[in-house]
Amino acid sequence: MLTITIRGSVKFRTLEKDSKIREEINEVNSQSPSHVTIRNWTLKIGYYELTHQKEKADDWIILLDHSIQFGCEKILVVLGIRESEFLKMKRPLQYTDLKTLLIANKRSWNGALVKEELKKLEATIGQIKYAVGDYGSDLRKGLVLSEITHVHDLSHLIALTIEKLYKTDDRFIEFKSKMSYMRSKFVQTDIAAIVPPKGRKKSEYQSFDKIIKWGNAALNLIENKINDPEQIKLLLEYFETKTLDRIRTELSWISHYSELIAELSEINYSIEEVEKELKHNGLSKISFRKCVKILEKLESDNGIKFKETLIYKIDQQIKLLPKTGTILFSSDILESIFGKYKNRVSENPMASITCLMLIIAAFTSDLTEESVKQSIENVKITDIKKWSKENIGVSLFEKRKVLLAA
């Protein structure tokens, strides 16, 4: 049950209802735990994972970032892995590879406050060899003040490189504008299935592969380049001929951007290959040379600019740690954990920071029988309430309850 809610992100109330339905179907008269009980068990696991003593060592690698802001507050999360453990892996990190080292909540953050938390952390876990994360100003300054080497997360580094290339590119701006117009014009019509994907403004250049995929599919459709017999069969089954003709007419504008789409496709393919190499094998002189070979295949003007800039930026990251053979170069796993956390916060009607943020630590628990037993038996609800009072204070939801009690 705990594996389902923590690993599968099944919400507490949903799990309670599911258990009761299963009991009725199987005609079992056992007492299913309530959603409150399941929540408390989960928080106990998170509290135990966060607060139990971590081994003291001189080779900690940390991943750190802020969550999105809730009300006036932001969470700083620091995850860690020993370098000796990381070097054994030939794959991207998984949740259970990491230890939750810090979850801190403040109304506002600056470099000095980040430094303060990192110094307290080092006092308990030992030396932090380097940190991986984006270049947010508070985090960057805090790491500089703490004299901790800051490796720029690969995904953010690539996104910034792409942004510099295309943010002021008239072709790209016009292309996005026409996509946006098409979404608003056809989203509630009988050809809504062809509307372009809606990009996320905050991470637009981290997910532009969706735009490219749509652009190529649209080009294939209007130029009759679909070769898959099954797709052709389904198109004729789902759409009348006149509807397909209308779709092709409404998409005809995209042919003017075929060169741009080809250029973006070329760059995106190289990004996928570079990310696959560096996220699976880490950043080393060997993996760097492989990435250079991948990028050397780029032929368009912007592709060559992208290649030159990215090679330079990756080389700069290697030079940060000249004595380190293989560098962890991705904090994607932390972004994933934040995504899971935001999904769970949606259960909170005020979407404010509460002790539910302990579930972040629960995500990194290995959930073995022994660790779950230790958590449930040794952690008391009073421990969680005390931690919540010290680290959160009075939540927005509690304040609302008092205000609207009448």
Side-chain angles (χ1 to χ4, degrees):
M1 181 175 289
L2 288 170
T3 301
I4 294 172
T5 192
I6 293 172
R7 293 278 182 271
S9 293
V10 176
K11 296 183 179 180
F12 304 129
R13 292 179 187 273
T14 303
L15 195 55
E16 176 190 5
K17 292 174 183 176
D18 177 73
S19 297
K20 288 179 178 178
I21 291 169
R22 288 176 184 274
E23 285 180 7
E24 290 176 7
I25 293 172
N26 297 319
E27 297 181 351
V28 177
N29 293 321
S30 61
Q31 183 69 38
S32 295
S34 70
H35 68 277
V36 174
T37 299
I38 300 169
R39 181 179 186 272
N40 287 341
W41 288 344
T42 303
L43 295 181
K44 284 185 176 186
I45 291 170
Y47 178 89
Y48 179 80
E49 183 67 23
L50 175 64
T51 60
H52 81 271
Q53 183 63 43
K54 312 300 191 297
E55 54 191 328
K56 207 159 187 175
D58 61 358
D59 67 340
W60 280 100
I61 304 169
I62 63 168
L63 289 70
L64 74 170
D65 200 359
H66 291 303
S67 76
I68 59 171
Q69 187 165 333
F70 295 99
C72 302
E73 300 167 310
K74 263 187 177 180
I75 302 171
L76 171 66
V77 174
V78 180
L79 306 179
I81 183 172
R82 295 274 307 279
E83 184 182 47
S84 55
E85 293 299 318
F86 163 65
L87 293 176
K88 296 175 186 176
M89 299 174 186
K90 292 295 180 183
R91 57 168 173 76
L93 293 178
Q94 299 173 358
Y95 298 141
T96 53
D97 295 327
L98 298 157
K99 304 293 183 186
T100 303
L101 303 177
L102 174 69
I103 301 176
N105 170 55
K106 292 188 185 298
R107 282 182 169 270
S108 63
W109 288 93
N110 56 42
L113 289 173
V114 172
K115 175 193 172 183
E116 181 184 329
E117 295 294 341
L118 292 176
K119 286 302 179 185
K120 286 192 290 185
L121 181 58
E122 281 194 308
T124 62
I125 67 167
Q127 183 182 348
I128 297 172
K129 187 168 182 179
Y130 62 91
V132 185
D134 64 28
Y135 267 15
S137 58
D138 296 339
L139 299 179
R140 191 175 184 181
K141 188 173 182 181
L143 289 166
V144 169
L145 292 172
S146 304
E147 299 181 329
I148 297 171
T149 301
H150 185 182
V151 174
H152 195 178
D153 165 68
L154 177 63
S155 296
H156 287 90
L157 188 150
I158 289 174
L160 289 173
T161 306
I162 291 293
E163 182 179 11
K164 187 175 180 181
L165 271 178
Y166 288 103
K167 190 174 183 178
T168 57
D169 187 309
D170 291 338
R171 301 170 305 156
F172 190 65
I173 294 169
E174 191 177 86
F175 181 60
K176 288 194 303 175
S177 176
K178 292 197 173 184
M179 287 175 64
S180 179
Y181 172 75
M182 193 171 184
R183 274 196 306 272
S184 61
K185 183 177 180 181
F186 298 113
V187 71
Q188 294 183 331
T189 69
D190 60 338
I191 60 170
I194 198 58
V195 297
K198 186 176 182 180
R200 293 171 59 194
K201 189 172 183 180
K202 188 177 178 181
S203 57
E204 177 181 3
Y205 297 96
Q206 281 181 274
S207 55
F208 85 138
D209 56 316
K210 294 178 182 177
I211 295 175
I212 299 165
K213 185 178 180 181
W214 178 86
N216 278 314
L219 277 174
N220 288 338
L221 188 61
I222 63 173
E223 294 174 3
N224 290 314
K225 290 183 178 179
I226 299 173
N227 298 316
D228 182 1
E230 183 64 21
Q231 185 182 358
I232 294 170
K233 176 187 173 184
L234 291 174
L235 278 173
L236 297 174
E237 180 182 334
Y238 293 166
F239 301 97
E240 295 180 0
T241 302
K242 63 179 182 180
T243 304
L244 280 174
D245 290 341
R246 185 186 169 203
I247 287 172
R248 289 189 174 98
T249 299
E250 297 294 352
L251 284 173
S252 60
W253 61 271
I254 203 170
S255 61
H256 298 293
Y257 299 92
S258 57
E259 186 177 323
L260 172 65
I261 292 169
E263 177 185 304
L264 293 172
S265 298
E266 175 195 50
I267 292 173
N268 190 59
Y269 177 77
S270 72
I271 289 172
E272 289 175 348
E273 292 298 301
V274 166
E275 287 188 329
K276 183 179 178 180
E277 175 61 36
L278 296 178
K279 291 180 181 181
H280 280 76
N281 300 314
L283 175 59
S284 65
K285 289 180 180 179
I286 294 173
S287 62
F288 178 54
R289 285 196 293 269
K290 289 181 180 178
C291 290
V292 170
K293 285 185 179 180
I294 292 166
L295 294 166
E296 288 289 354
K297 297 175 184 178
L298 292 169
E299 297 178 347
S300 64
D301 289 344
N302 271 348
I304 293 169
K305 290 177 186 176
F306 175 76
K307 172 197 71 177
E308 292 171 350
T309 304
L310 191 60
I311 288 174
Y312 171 77
K313 287 184 175 181
I314 295 175
D315 186 48
Q316 291 300 106
Q317 303 305 304
I318 292 178
K319 289 177 179 176
L320 290 173
L321 295 159
K323 295 181 180 179
T324 301
T326 303
I327 301 167
L328 177 60
F329 200 16
S330 173
S331 61
D332 284 0
I333 192 72
L334 180 52
E335 296 287 338
S336 175
I337 282 176
F338 275 146
K340 284 168 70 76
Y341 171 62
K342 290 165 192 173
N343 178 55
R344 301 311 291 263
V345 169
S346 65
E347 297 177 54
N348 178 355
M350 288 300 293
S352 64
I353 291 174
T354 68
C355 60
L356 186 62
M357 68 182 184
L358 284 170
I359 200 172
I360 291 172
F363 292 147
T364 63
S365 171
D366 54 18
L367 296 180
T368 61
E369 185 177 342
E370 181 59 28
S371 66
V372 171
K373 183 180 178 182
Q374 288 283 339
S375 304
I376 302 299
E377 292 182 354
N378 296 330
V379 178
K380 310 301 180 187
I381 295 300
T382 52
D383 296 328
I384 295 172
K385 287 182 177 178
K386 182 182 177 183
W387 181 89
S388 182
K389 186 176 181 180
E390 292 173 351
N391 292 275
I392 302 171
V394 182
S395 71
L396 183 63
F397 183 56
E398 289 297 325
K399 290 176 182 178
R400 180 178 174 83
K401 276 172 43 178
V402 171
L403 280 172
L404 301 179

